[in-house]
Amino acid sequence: MQMKVVNSLKEHGLKVTPQRVTILSAIEKKGHANIDEIYQEAKTTNPTMSLATVYKNITSLIETKLLKEVAINNQKSKYELSKKPHSHLICKKCGNLEDIDSHNLFTLNSDKLDFDIEEVELNIYGICNQCKKSN
Amino acid sequence: MQMKVVNSLKEHGLKVTPQRVTILSAIEKKGHANIDEIYQEAKTTNPTMSLATVYKNITSLIETKLLKEVAINNQKSKYELSKKPHSHLICKKCGNLEDIDSHNLFTLNSDKLDFDIEEVELNIYGICNQCKKSN
DNA sequence: GTGTCTGCAAATTATTTGCACGTTG
DNA sequence: CAACGTGCAAATAATTTGCAGACAC
């Protein structure tokens, strides 16, 4: 079994089940995947895996911060293993998503990226001042 | 009728129907809203408005670039009128979304924002090199 | 052994579609 | 009047839930 994935589950206080290991391995293999891609990939390893299990686990893996959701315009959300902060290059034609080191972004010029940038979106998540007060 | 909205529809080559005007006005009023919020708001003006019409129009308004989708982790997508590039402050507690001028972001210090930043996400949409080749 | 997890099936919610009729330009 | 848009109802897709049995620890 994937030792890395097993340890990761333990560290985050989740029971180590074959389904969880399979789901995490599937995401690790694919880099980024939506629910259905995870399900399809996971089934190749564990054919009895149910879609409901994928949904339930994605939820708890996100709650424990083992996974991160990436909501994307015009596509279903993809999921990735939590890793150091980075940005995404998202192809508007094929929908492919690729990680990019945000730091490099400003030292590289955009023409060196081999990607025609159409739109840049910076989303900042946190707690607004209303919510800070009402606690 | 909202002259601004009517002109906007004409400029983008869409027929001006009361439903479209109502939908755009609803979004303008709310700033950002998801499908259901748009539907609810629109019904107050036009009680016979159907949800299917909202869906169909959101699609065509996005295709003609009159609207922009904002996909958000852990929420349904919101929609906003196209305007100059900007970023979003998204509260992880109440889900509220607020525009922020990206340019200001780097001159203001984060403590002046009155928003506790937890996560910053830069998504870059465009055309990847595979798609550029295969055209 | 106990609490958590899984798979299944059913329920719910979200989105899309086909079609008859109405409206826009 | 031709093309397009609308509302309705039905179809499809996406997600959630309840529950009985299985498994992790």
Side-chain angles (χ1 to χ4, degrees):
Chain A
M1 256 204 243
Q2 306 275 120
M3 229 27 200
K4 196 164 113 191
V5 158
V6 170
N7 289 334
S8 192
L9 284 167
K10 286 182 180 161
E11 283 162 18
H12 288 78
L14 289 172
K15 288 191 173 174
V16 178
T17 68
Q19 288 84 347
R20 283 183 179 153
V21 173
T22 303
I23 287 169
L24 288 174
S25 302
I27 294 170
E28 186 179 35
K29 178 175 173 189
K30 298 217 140 220
H32 307 84
N34 64 32
I35 292 279
D36 209 59
E37 290 164 344
I38 294 166
Y39 177 53
Q40 296 306 330
E41 176 65 35
K43 272 201 301 189
T44 67
T45 306
N46 184 342
T48 67
M49 170 88 62
S50 84
L51 183 54
T53 295
V54 177
Y55 274 107
K56 287 169 186 167
N57 277 314
I58 293 295
T59 303
S60 46
L61 291 168
I62 287 177
E63 277 167 1
T64 55
K65 311 236 190 257
L66 231 151
L67 286 187
K68 227 175 92 47
E69 176 181 0
V70 188
I72 307 167
N73 290 353
N74 207 28
Q75 290 191 52
K76 290 179 60 176
S77 285
K78 293 188 174 180
Y79 302 89
E80 63 185 14
L81 301 180
S82 295
K83 46 198 164 186
K84 77 173 188 327
H86 59 278
S87 303
H88 298 119
L89 293 175
I90 300 159
C91 181
K92 285 204 165 183
K93 192 168 165 193
C94 69
N96 183 59
L97 186 157
E98 188 187 337
D99 285 349
I100 177 177
D101 183 327
S102 311
H103 182 259
N104 276 349
L105 189 61
F106 297 101
T107 45
L108 284 172
N109 291 313
S110 79
D111 60 77
K112 296 211 187 118
L113 282 175
D114 204 10
F115 187 96
D116 291 346
I117 295 178
E118 289 192 350
E119 204 174 307
V120 173
E121 193 179 88
L122 181 67
N123 287 333
I124 302 166
Y125 294 82
I127 308 296
C128 71
N129 63 338
Q130 287 304 315
C131 283
K132 273 192 278 181
K133 281 178 210 154
S134 70
N135 209 10
Chain B
M1 253 203 244
Q2 306 277 120
M3 228 30 199
K4 196 164 112 191
V5 159
V6 171
N7 289 334
S8 191
L9 284 167
K10 286 182 181 162
E11 282 162 18
H12 288 78
L14 289 173
K15 288 188 175 177
V16 179
T17 68
Q19 289 84 347
R20 283 182 180 154
V21 173
T22 302
I23 287 169
L24 288 174
S25 302
I27 294 169
E28 187 180 35
K29 178 175 173 188
K30 299 218 140 222
H32 307 85
N34 64 31
I35 292 280
D36 210 59
E37 291 164 343
I38 294 166
Y39 177 51
Q40 296 307 331
E41 177 65 34
K43 271 202 299 188
T44 68
T45 306
N46 184 341
T48 67
M49 170 89 60
S50 84
L51 183 54
T53 295
V54 176
Y55 274 107
K56 286 169 186 167
N57 276 314
I58 293 295
T59 302
S60 44
L61 291 167
I62 287 176
E63 277 167 1
T64 54
K65 312 239 190 255
L66 231 151
L67 286 187
K68 226 176 92 46
E69 177 180 0
V70 188
I72 307 168
N73 289 353
N74 207 29
Q75 288 191 52
K76 289 179 60 178
S77 285
K78 293 187 175 181
Y79 301 90
E80 64 184 15
L81 301 180
S82 295
K83 45 198 165 186
K84 76 175 189 324
H86 60 278
S87 302
H88 298 120
L89 293 175
I90 299 159
C91 181
K92 285 205 165 182
K93 193 169 166 197
C94 70
N96 183 58
L97 185 158
E98 188 187 339
D99 285 349
I100 178 176
D101 183 327
S102 311
H103 182 258
N104 276 348
L105 189 61
F106 298 101
T107 44
L108 284 172
N109 290 315
S110 80
D111 60 77
K112 295 213 186 116
L113 283 176
D114 204 9
F115 187 95
D116 291 346
I117 294 177
E118 290 193 350
E119 205 174 307
V120 173
E121 193 179 88
L122 181 68
N123 286 333
I124 303 166
Y125 295 83
I127 307 297
C128 72
N129 63 339
Q130 287 304 314
C131 284
K132 274 192 279 181
K133 283 176 207 154
S134 71
N135 209 10

